């Protein structure tokens, strides 16, 4: 790609890093880079989630270095993030790349071997290492992601093993990140060459309708489908309406039972999958048509079937040689992909109950929230007469694109005054703020993506009403309370860990002690924290931190914060602040 395009993206990337630093005052630029680049991969579906946590081995030991990690929902895949930041688009050497991968591999080995036993327990790094160690017996694959703002010419990334656990290397340099961030799509396309896999598929093309799509019917061997999922993971289901529900639902239990007891009847019992693609290669062989290749493959219905087959092979060593899966593949023109695929997904899904919130990507709720953010002026802060607006970024990168549309520096300056960059917030931010003040800090502690998903399914679908001006003002007030409160807590404990957890728990407990609507109205009016609220945050944060650090059985603090019992323990903290006791309604929890 042209140098000019890469340099332009590098500038955009640096601005995003600066924005992130403003939100995370204790971070270094390296940490902010990991979060920004990691967000691209999470949105893409390449990563399920990401916890930024930098660790480097003490001097005198073999070098180990890691910048973050995540463990898949099923506990089978460990993702380790390493970073090489500060290259500004310049080429990095192959040795540099190999060293980073090696340091991350040594870190994983140390986690397996109990490295946490020699670490300081009251740190996020200890939690990370202990968490990985405790999950090791279930892990069967490690993916190491090297994120860099440099360029690399290294093409071949050899795989490795730690014991019987496979290790796969993934390199995301600035060119690859640029392509992902500027492609106008949420995912880097998946292409499958069935002929190279040794399984060209006989198929039946439907008679042409002369429209903007083509349909194919085929059978996919169960093992092949499981192998494709093994290679691409949940990213294969990125356009599906829901994630894998695991084996708890009756449909998935039935799939597993069929695999185990009657694999030859799978074809008769299972409805199969519906998939979409934007390109197809077919070949006529005699009287038969064979499917050789699909471009931009996505499974939009049948995610449960696909993931269940994969889990059966991994967990139960199931034999899939007699399993055949019926498949309908719709080849869609790229220009109508975003229009047709959501409808295909919506109408095809019938095996499990579907919540409308599963289709929320462009839901009326978020569209209306965006509209409100462009029309409502906030009150002028004390000592000023200047008003501005809060910018709700419904789509990642929307703020930068909107600003860039102002082609002169004068117009961009006016945009900055109307929509200060510091007053931009995203969908996952909105979920975090709302869930905190709904007194569900244990759900916030699950992480941005899981919190957003829970909020979408369990909160937004509870009411069909669209947000109005009052809702928007309250949401902004929650944002002000959260961010200002976090800044106050950080001042009390500079450099201390678990800032995010302490913040959401402190403010949730505060919400249980006050007339929340009265506080939100005052915060919106002042665009800041009233003095009595600031004082309450100071007082509450100390005992709250003590509860979080006192994980039962000297357990993992991060995991403790994700449990409802942790929230119950915080509610039991005695506090003689704004109100003498926790009201009974605060103990009514939404079932998780």
């Amino acid at each position: 790609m042209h140098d000019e395009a890469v340099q332009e993206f590098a500038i955009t990337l640096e601005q995003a890093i600066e924005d992130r630093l403003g939100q995370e005052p204790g971070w270094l630029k390296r940490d902010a880079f990991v979060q920004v680049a990691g967000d691209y991969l999470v949105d893409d579906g390449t990563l399920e989630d990401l916890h930024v946590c930098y660790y480097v081995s003490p001097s005198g030991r073999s070098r180990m270095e890691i910048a973050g990690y995540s463990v898949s929902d099923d506990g089978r895949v460990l993702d380790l993030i390493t970073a090489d930041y500060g290259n500004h688009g310049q080429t990095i050497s192959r040795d540099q790349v190999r060293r980073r991968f090696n340091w991350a591999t040594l870190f994983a080995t140390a986690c397996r071997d109990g490295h946490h036993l020699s670490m300081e327990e009251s740190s996020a790094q200890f939690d990370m290492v202990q968490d990985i160690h405790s999950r090791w017996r279930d892990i069967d694959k490690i993916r190491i992601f090297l994120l860099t703002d440099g360029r690399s010419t290294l093409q071949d990334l050899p795989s490795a093993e730690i014991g019987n656990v496979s290790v796969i290397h993934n390199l995301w340099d600035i060119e690859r990140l640029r392509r992902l961030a500027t492609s106008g799509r949420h995912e880097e396309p998946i292409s499958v060459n069935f002929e190279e896999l040794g399984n060209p598929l006989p198929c039946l093309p439907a008679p042409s309708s002369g429209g903007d799509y083509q349909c194919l019917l085929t059978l996919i061997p169960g093992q092949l489908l499981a192998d494709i999922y093994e290679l691409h993971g949940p990213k294969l289901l990125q356009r599906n309406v829901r994630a894998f529900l695991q084996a708890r639902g009756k449909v998935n239990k039935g799939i597993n039972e069929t695999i185990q007891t009657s694999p030859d009847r799978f074809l008769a019992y299972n409805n199969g999958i519906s998939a979409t693609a934007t390109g197809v290669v077919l070949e006529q062989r005699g009287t038969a048509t064979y499917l050789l290749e699909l471009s931009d493959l996505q499974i939009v219905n049948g995610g449960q079937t696909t993931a269940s087959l994969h889990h059966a092979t991994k967990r139960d060593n199931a034999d899939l040689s007699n399993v055949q899966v019926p498949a309908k593949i719709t080849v869609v023109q790229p220009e109508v992909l975003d229009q047709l695929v959501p409808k295909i997904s919506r109408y095809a899904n019938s095996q499990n109950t579907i919540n409308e919130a599963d289709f929320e990507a462009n839901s009326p709720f978020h569209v209306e929230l965006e509209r409100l953010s462009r029309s409502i002026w906030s009150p002028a802060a004390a000592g000023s007469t200047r008003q501005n607006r809060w910018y709700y970024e419904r789509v990642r990168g929307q703020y930068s694109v909107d600003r860039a549309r102002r082609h002169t520096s004068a117009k961009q300056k006016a945009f900055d005054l109307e929509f200060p960059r510091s007053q931009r917030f995203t969908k996952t931010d909105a979920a975090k703020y709302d869930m905190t003040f709904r007194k569900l800090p244990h759900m916030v502690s699950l992480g941005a993506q899981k919190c957003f998903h829970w909020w979408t399914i369990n909160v937004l679908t509870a009411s069909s009403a669209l947000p109005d001006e009052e809702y928007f003002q309250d949401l902004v007030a929650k944002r002000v309370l959260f961010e200002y409160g976090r800044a106050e807590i950080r001042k009390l404990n500079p450099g201390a860990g678990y800032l995010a957890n302490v913040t959401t728990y402190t403010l949730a407990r505060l919400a249980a002690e006050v007339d929340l609507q009265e506080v939100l109205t005052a915060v919106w009016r002042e665009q800041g924290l009233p003095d009595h609220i600031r004082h309450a945050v100071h007082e509450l944060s100390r005992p709250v931190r003590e509860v979080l650090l006192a994980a039962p059985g000297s357990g993992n603090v991060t995991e403790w914060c994700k449990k409802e019992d942790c929230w119950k323990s915080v509610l039991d903290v005695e506090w003689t602040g704004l109100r003498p006791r926790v009201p009974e309604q605060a103990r009514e929890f939404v079932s998780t």
Side-chain angles (χ1 to χ4, degrees):
M1 203 54 64
H2 297 302
D3 288 348
E4 182 179 344
V6 172
Q7 290 303 319
E8 182 178 338
F9 175 68
I11 293 172
T12 302
L13 185 64
E14 283 298 311
Q15 184 60 66
I17 290 169
E18 291 295 336
D19 289 350
R20 197 71 198 195
L21 282 176
Q23 300 172 32
E24 304 286 350
W27 277 9
L28 299 176
K29 292 188 74 172
R30 172 206 62 227
D31 303 316
F33 164 71
V34 169
Q35 186 67 71
V36 170
D39 283 346
Y40 290 134
L41 300 189
V42 170
D43 282 353
D44 171 56
T46 299
L47 290 175
E48 286 188 29
D49 208 345
L50 170 63
H51 304 284
V52 176
C53 186
Y54 180 75
Y55 174 78
V56 61
S57 54
S59 58
R61 295 181 61 96
S62 297
R63 177 84 174 194
M64 298 183 291
E65 185 175 327
I66 209 73
Y69 85 113
S70 179
V71 180
S72 63
D73 282 343
D74 63 6
R76 296 283 168 172
V77 180
L78 168 64
D79 290 330
L80 296 177
I81 313 300
T82 185
D84 195 323
Y85 173 71
N87 301 284
H88 309 294
Q90 300 302 307
T91 300
I92 59 176
S93 71
R94 296 185 175 196
D95 285 344
Q96 211 170 335
V97 171
R98 292 188 181 105
R99 279 198 301 271
R100 295 283 178 183
F101 281 127
N102 185 52
W103 293 343
T105 302
L106 291 174
F107 171 82
T109 304
C111 291
R112 178 198 65 181
D113 295 341
H115 179 56
H116 63 286
L117 297 174
S118 62
M119 295 176 64
E120 167 57 47
E121 293 187 10
S122 59
S123 69
Q125 288 79 8
F126 171 85
D127 274 4
M128 173 174 63
V129 176
Q130 184 198 47
D131 187 30
I132 294 171
H133 176 77
S134 66
R135 295 170 180 260
W136 190 270
R137 65 167 87 67
D138 295 324
I139 293 171
D140 55 34
K141 181 167 66 175
I142 298 173
R143 302 188 301 174
I144 301 176
F145 291 83
L146 170 56
L147 309 180
T148 177
D149 64 339
R151 295 190 196 188
S152 174
T153 59
L154 189 61
Q155 298 294 324
D156 298 322
L157 298 172
S159 58
E161 287 189 348
I162 300 175
N164 61 349
V165 178
S166 63
V167 180
I168 299 171
H169 296 158
N170 294 272
L171 174 59
W172 285 82
D173 68 354
I174 195 165
E175 284 206 30
R176 193 177 180 190
L177 288 170
R178 186 200 70 81
R179 288 196 298 269
L180 178 61
T182 61
S183 65
R185 291 281 307 283
H186 289 298
E187 65 276 344
E188 196 177 61
I190 293 172
S191 294
V192 177
N193 190 314
F194 295 102
E195 189 163 45
E196 287 182 358
L197 294 172
N199 282 281
L201 304 178
C203 69
L204 177 64
S208 175
S209 63
D212 44 19
Y213 70 93
Q214 177 185 9
C215 273
L216 311 168
L217 301 178
T218 188
L219 294 177
I220 301 179
Q223 187 60 57
L224 175 60
L225 189 57
D227 290 344
I228 294 172
Y229 186 83
E230 166 71 15
L231 183 61
H232 299 289
K235 183 177 175 180
L236 187 64
L237 315 178
Q238 185 75 359
R239 289 181 176 270
N240 201 320
V241 297
R242 56 183 165 229
F244 177 52
L245 302 178
Q246 300 191 25
R248 292 188 293 270
K250 62 180 180 181
V251 172
N252 295 325
K253 289 179 180 178
I255 291 172
N256 285 338
E257 182 178 348
T258 301
I259 292 169
Q260 295 295 330
T261 63
S262 308
D264 56 325
R265 295 184 179 179
F266 193 91
L267 181 60
Y269 293 165
N270 191 266
N271 288 340
I273 68 171
S274 293
T276 62
T278 58
V280 62
V281 177
L282 300 174
E283 184 177 278
Q284 197 71 24
R285 298 179 181 178
T287 59
T289 303
Y290 282 82
L291 172 59
L292 304 184
E293 187 174 350
L294 287 172
S295 301
D296 198 1
L297 174 64
Q298 282 285 298
I299 294 175
V300 296
N301 170 245
Q304 320 305 313
T305 296
T306 304
S308 292
L309 288 169
H310 175 262
H311 283 237
T313 62
K314 288 297 179 182
R315 288 191 169 180
D316 305 321
N317 295 316
D319 180 7
L320 302 183
S321 59
N322 291 325
V323 173
Q324 295 286 326
V325 182
K328 182 187 80 172
I329 301 169
T330 306
V331 183
V332 182
Q333 296 298 318
E335 58 268 20
V336 295
L337 186 70
D338 290 327
Q339 174 188 347
L340 287 184
V341 171
K343 292 182 179 179
I344 295 171
S345 182
R346 181 189 297 266
Y347 300 144
N349 276 277
S350 60
Q351 289 186 339
N352 287 317
T353 303
I354 301 297
N355 292 301
E356 281 297 309
D358 292 338
F359 303 97
E360 57 72 41
N362 294 297
S363 72
F365 177 90
H366 294 287
V367 171
E368 180 62 14
L369 202 58
E370 176 189 352
R371 189 195 68 78
L372 289 167
S373 79
R374 307 301 192 267
S375 62
I376 297 176
W377 292 91
S378 63
S384 172
T385 59
R386 180 180 297 279
Q387 291 181 268
N388 49 39
R389 305 184 202 262
W390 289 83
Y391 191 101
Y392 178 59
E393 191 174 61
R394 183 174 59 87
V395 179
R396 181 170 298 281
Q398 189 177 18
Y399 181 92
S400 296
V401 171
D402 207 357
R403 186 179 185 276
R405 288 176 51 243
R406 279 69 175 174
H407 297 298
T408 67
S409 58
K411 289 182 178 178
Q412 288 184 354
K413 184 177 180 180
F415 180 84
D416 293 342
L417 290 173
E418 183 176 353
F419 297 105
R421 191 175 290 273
S422 61
Q423 293 184 187
R424 174 182 62 89
F425 64 102
T426 67
K427 294 194 298 292
T428 54
D429 292 333
K432 174 176 64 178
Y433 304 143
D434 193 39
M435 293 283 279
T436 292
F437 291 99
R438 286 180 182 273
K439 299 181 283 293
L440 293 165
H442 50 297
M443 303 306 298
V444 176
S445 296
L446 291 175
Q449 295 300 320
K450 292 176 183 176
C451 173
F452 175 73
H453 179 72
W454 200 95
W455 180 63
T456 299
I457 299 299
N458 296 282
V459 175
L460 298 191
T461 54
S463 170
S464 59
L466 295 178
D468 55 15
E469 184 172 350
E470 182 181 1
Y471 181 96
F472 179 78
Q473 291 177 358
D474 285 349
L475 182 60
V476 168
K478 291 173 182 178
R479 195 263 189 200
V480 173
L481 265 171
F482 191 97
E483 298 299 340
Y484 276 65
R486 184 172 67 164
E488 291 297 322
I489 293 169
R490 187 178 65 85
K491 289 178 186 175
L492 289 174
N493 299 277
Y498 313 110
L499 175 61
N501 302 114
V502 175
T503 300
T504 186
Y505 270 92
T506 298
L507 294 173
R509 174 61 192 272
L510 180 65
E513 297 284 344
V514 301
D515 182 332
L516 184 59
Q517 189 56 58
E518 180 182 296
V519 171
L520 293 177
T521 301
V523 170
W524 168 257
R525 185 172 57 248
E526 297 182 24
Q527 296 290 291
L529 291 190
D531 287 340
H532 70 291
I533 296 298
R534 190 187 312 274
H535 177 71
V537 169
H538 274 232
E539 279 196 344
L540 265 174
S541 66
R542 290 186 177 92
V544 166
R545 175 182 289 277
E546 291 175 3
V547 171
L548 301 192
L549 293 180
S554 299
N556 186 294
V557 174
T558 304
E559 292 302 309
W560 168 233
C561 290
K562 297 175 183 178
K563 300 182 183 301
E564 188 175 319
D565 283 345
C566 181
W567 173 228
K568 291 178 179 178
S569 296
V570 168
L571 283 172
D572 286 336
V573 169
E574 292 186 7
W575 184 58
T576 56
L578 298 175
R579 278 164 55 172
R581 63 182 182 85
V582 178
E584 286 301 315
Q585 62 265 31
R587 298 184 179 277
E588 297 177 4
F589 301 98
V590 177
S591 174
T592 59

